[in-house]
């Protein structure tokens, strides 16, 4: 290798090294370690542990109803978030794009909740659900607002969805806005001249042109929804009972509350990792085909 090219390679490695070291220390090594310990009965404290093969995985999927229920609840949450978050974000982006003079104002207003910490948002909405809404229902005719928004298992799920959407829609909206600004105005004008309605123009011209943004937003929503923790912890703590416990809370509980079963919690983490990996590959594969068709 020529000396000049060798120096260039060393320079590139020097720039990459800090990020690679941090990535390895805080993500890569713990991930590999978690996969290793998922096949053991390690309790996180004792240096002595035994390999038990697939025992942890079998117990989680066959003999642990709390884990299965948390997994099903998380799946339900993911489905709602993928649909609602992207629909609301896209609708807001289209709405803001039509407001030429007040675009900056609306963009700031709708993005502002994303700047607030998720756990802070959850505590704020806990006050709203428990104090503000009952007061509004008492002083107005809107009696439907007087609900056990957090204490009723049938309603608490929708409370979690409301807070998650309020906190996360703004970020997806910005991505859709950036994509909408890249759609040539001439194509929209040509569609209008040909007699297309605003809805037809959006469906036939705009939407195919922003499919790449849809792919990105679906990917981010999918991964974020599977790993949800703060909003559920801040609102319901997984309750009442364990009716709103998500899979991340179940893993945390297993590692730090139930006799420090680190090996068992690691196995649950691996299961979550595999599920996210499978859904991500499916989602990206489907959306990429849509991009090619568009």
């Amino acid at each position: 290798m020529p000396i000049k090219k060798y120096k260039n390679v060393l320079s590139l490695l020097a720039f990459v090294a800090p990020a690679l070291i941090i990535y390895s220390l805080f993500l890569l090594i713990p991930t590999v370690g978690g996969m290793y310990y998922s096949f053991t009965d390690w309790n996180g404290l004792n240096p002595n542990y035994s390999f038990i093969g697939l025992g942890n995985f079998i117990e989680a999927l066959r003999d642990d109803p709390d884990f299965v229920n948390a997994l099903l609840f998380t799946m339900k949450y993911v489905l709602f978030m993928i649909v609602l978050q992207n629909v609301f974000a896209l609708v807001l982006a289209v709405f803001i794009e039509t407001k030429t003079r007040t675009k900056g104002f609306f963009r700031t207003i709708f993005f502002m909740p994303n700047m607030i910490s998720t756990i802070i948002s959850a505590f704020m909405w806990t006050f709203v659900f428990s104090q503000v809404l009952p007061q509004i229902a008492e002083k107005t005719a809107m009696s439907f607002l007087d609900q056990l928004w957090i204490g009723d298992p049938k309603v608490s799920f929708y409370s979690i969805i409301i807070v998650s959407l309020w906190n996360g829609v703004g970020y997806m909206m910005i991505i859709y806005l950036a994509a909408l600004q890249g759609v040539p105005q001439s194509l929209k004008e040509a569609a209008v001249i040909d007699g297309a309605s605003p809805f037809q123009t959006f469906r036939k011209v705009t939407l195919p042109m922003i499919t790449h943004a849809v792919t990105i937003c679906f990917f981010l929503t999918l991964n974020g929804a599977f790993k949800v923790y703060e909003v559920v912890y801040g609102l319901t703590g997984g309750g009442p009972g364990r009716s709103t416990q998500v899979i991340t809370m179940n893993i945390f509980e297993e590692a730090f509350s139930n006799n420090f079963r680190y090996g068992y919690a690691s196995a649950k983490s691996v299961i979550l990792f595999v599920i996210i990996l499978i859904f991500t590959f499916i989602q990206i594969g489907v959306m990429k085909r849509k991009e090619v068709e568009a």
Side-chain angles (χ1 to χ4, degrees), residues 66 69-70 73-74 232 238-239 242-247 249-250 253:
D66 291 332
N69 292 334
F73 181 84
T74 305
V232 181
R242 297 190 180 192
S243 59
T244 61
Q245 188 180 70
V246 289
I247 190 170
M249 293 187 69
N250 184 270
E253 180 184 80

Side-chain angles (χ1 to χ4, degrees), residues 139-179:
K139 299 180 184 301
T140 63
M142 296 184 289
S143 58
F144 66 92
L145 293 177
D146 190 8
Q147 302 271 351
L148 291 174
W149 291 95
I150 299 175
D152 187 346
K154 296 180 180 179
V155 182
S156 53
F157 171 76
Y158 299 103
S159 303
I160 294 170
I161 292 294
I162 290 171
V163 179
S164 297
L165 291 174
W166 182 81
N167 196 254
V169 163
Y171 185 78
M172 303 301 165
M173 179 198 69
I174 294 297
I175 298 176
Y176 283 125
L177 267 175

Side-chain angles (χ1 to χ4, degrees), residues 49-292:
Y49 53 84
S50 303
F51 285 91
I52 57 176
L54 298 175
N56 287 328
F57 297 93
I58 295 173
E59 180 182 352
L61 296 174
R62 188 186 66 184
D63 304 325
D64 192 341
D66 291 332
F67 176 73
V68 175
N69 292 334
L71 180 58
L72 294 176
F73 181 84
T74 305
M75 291 284 194
K76 180 181 176 182
Y77 174 85
V78 169
L79 178 61
F80 272 76
M81 287 301 295
I82 287 178
V83 175
L84 295 179
Q85 183 158 288
N86 284 281
V87 168
F88 285 141
L90 184 56
V91 169
L92 287 176
V94 173
F95 168 75
I96 292 174
E97 188 64 19
T98 61
K99 305 295 181 182
T100 54
R101 294 185 177 180
T102 56
K103 184 183 296 185
F105 171 76
F106 282 110
R107 184 167 50 197
T108 303
I109 291 298
F110 290 126
F111 183 74
M112 196 173 293
N114 187 258
M115 301 172 65
I116 303 174
S117 168
T118 306
I119 191 68
I120 298 299
S121 300
F123 291 147
M124 288 169 50
W125 276 92
T126 299
F127 175 77
V128 171
F129 287 137
S130 61
Q131 302 293 330
V132 177
L133 294 185
Q135 290 294 324
I136 294 176
E138 183 180 339
K139 299 180 184 301
T140 63
M142 296 184 289
S143 58
F144 66 92
L145 293 177
D146 190 8
Q147 302 271 351
L148 291 174
W149 291 95
I150 299 175
D152 187 346
K154 296 180 180 179
V155 182
S156 53
F157 171 76
Y158 299 103
S159 303
I160 294 170
I161 292 294
I162 290 171
V163 179
S164 297
L165 291 174
W166 182 81
N167 196 254
V169 163
Y171 185 78
M172 303 301 165
M173 179 198 69
I174 294 297
I175 298 176
Y176 283 125
L177 267 175
L180 288 171
Q181 291 171 0
V183 178
Q185 189 65 29
S186 58
L187 293 179
K188 300 179 184 178
E189 293 173 353
V192 173
I193 292 173
D194 290 338
S197 65
F199 178 75
Q200 289 173 327
T201 302
F202 175 78
R203 189 168 69 89
K204 296 292 186 179
V205 178
T206 304
L207 191 58
M209 295 288 292
I210 64 170
T211 312
H212 60 287
V214 177
T215 302
I216 294 171
C217 289
F218 268 58
F219 172 78
L220 294 175
T221 306
L222 178 71
N223 281 268
F226 266 116
K227 295 183 289 186
V228 63
Y229 182 87
E230 295 97 329
V231 64
V232 181
Y233 177 80
L235 278 175
T236 67
R242 297 190 180 192
S243 59
T244 61
Q245 188 180 70
V246 289
I247 190 170
T248 50
M249 293 187 69
N250 184 270
I251 293 171
F252 182 87
E253 180 184 80
E254 204 66 62
F256 298 101
S257 299
N258 294 351
N259 300 318
F260 295 95
R261 299 187 65 188
Y262 273 68
Y264 188 40
S266 297
K268 291 183 176 182
S269 300
V270 172
I271 292 173
L272 176 61
F273 169 76
V274 172
I275 291 173
I276 294 176
L277 195 65
I278 292 172
F279 275 87
T280 299
F281 276 126
I282 293 173
Q283 179 258 321
I284 291 178
V286 171
M287 296 305 298
K288 285 297 182 183
R289 284 198 295 270
K290 293 292 183 181
E291 288 184 28
V292 173

